[in-house]
């Protein structure tokens, strides 16, 4: 019997890898688990991804692309008349109080870069791109990086310590980082 043409197989494997990490964590990622979740033969996972690091890299690349597309869409839709700190605090609240499993997956893959050196460039690229996008709302790149750091810190506090998200406090913190009380218009670009 000839090989069955399956152009979506590689993508199903990546999706399954993300699902396995969501359900079992990084430690639960294995070719067998992914093959079962993707409903493909074990050989398909090793054909497309020779190592687990290759598979983890593909999953992180996909999660980053999805996240950055959402950030880009949000940044492009920000009301230019609204205080940027307030807009960012509102959006962050929506992210944090939304799909918790998704947020946990994003951070699980993000922190995998601590142990998997090959993932570090992908994590850094995601941070760099998010900061670049935020320069449309803040005075400069250094401020954008500080905003990204605050976003990560607040998100981790909510996820790890089950702290409620405080939009007003977040807006005030963002306004301080952004160099004002939040009433300034975003920088002209």
């Amino acid at each position: 019997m000839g090989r069955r043409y399956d152009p979506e197989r590689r993508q199903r494997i990546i999706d399954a890898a993300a699902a396995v990490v969501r359900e079992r964590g990084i430690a639960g990622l294995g070719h067998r688990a992914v093959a079962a979740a993707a409903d493909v033969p074990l050989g398909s996972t090793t054909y497309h991804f020779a190592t687990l690091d290759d598979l983890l890299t593909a999953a992180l690349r996909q999660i980053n692309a999805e996240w950055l597309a959402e950030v880009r869409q949000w940044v492009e839709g920000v009301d230019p008349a609204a205080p940027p700190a307030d807009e960012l605090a509102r959006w962050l609240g929506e992210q944090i109080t939304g799909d918790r499993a998704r947020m946990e997956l994003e951070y699980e893959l993000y922190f995998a870069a601590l142990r998997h050196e090959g993932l570090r460039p992908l994590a850094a690229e995601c941070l760099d791109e998010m900061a670049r996008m935020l320069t449309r709302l803040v005075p400069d790149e250094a401020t954008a990086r500080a905003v990204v750091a605050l976003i990560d810190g607040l998100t981790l506090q909510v996820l790890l310590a089950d702290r409620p998200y405080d939009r007003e406090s977040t807006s005030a913190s963002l306004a301080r980082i952004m160099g004002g009380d939040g009433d300034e218009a975003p920088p002209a670009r």
Side-chain angles (χ1 to χ4, degrees), residues 90-109:
R90 180 190 53 75
W91 174 77
L92 182 57
E94 292 170 2
Q95 297 302 307
I96 289 175
T97 60
D99 185 354
R100 183 182 177 100
R102 183 181 145 213
M103 292 295 287
E104 289 173 354
L105 172 64
E106 289 170 1
Y107 277 91
E108 177 105 23
L109 290 170

Side-chain angles (χ1 to χ4, degrees), residues 102-186:
R102 183 181 145 213
M103 292 295 287
E104 289 173 354
L105 172 64
E106 289 170 1
Y107 277 91
E108 177 105 23
L109 290 170
Y110 182 60
F111 283 114
L114 293 173
R115 300 237 183 250
H116 301 271
E117 193 171 322
L119 296 178
R120 289 181 189 163
L122 287 175
E125 286 172 21
C126 185
L127 293 171
D128 291 345
E129 181 61 16
M130 188 169 171
R132 189 195 65 71
M133 285 189 273
L134 290 177
T135 59
R136 293 180 62 176
L137 305 175
V138 301
D140 54 48
E141 185 178 341
T143 303
R145 289 186 180 284
V147 168
V148 171
L150 179 63
I151 288 170
D152 280 338
L154 289 171
T155 302
L156 286 173
Q157 287 181 17
V158 170
L159 291 176
L160 297 174
D162 287 325
R163 292 189 178 145
Y165 177 71
D166 183 343
R167 183 173 164 179
E168 289 180 24
S169 175
T170 299
S171 182
S173 296
L174 286 165
R176 284 191 298 274
I177 289 172
M178 296 163 98
D181 60 10
D183 291 334
E184 293 82 20

Side-chain angles (χ1 to χ4, degrees), residues 22-38:
R22 177 182 287 122
E23 181 182 315
R24 303 178 190 178
I26 297 289
L29 185 68
H31 283 290
R32 289 185 192 285
V34 171

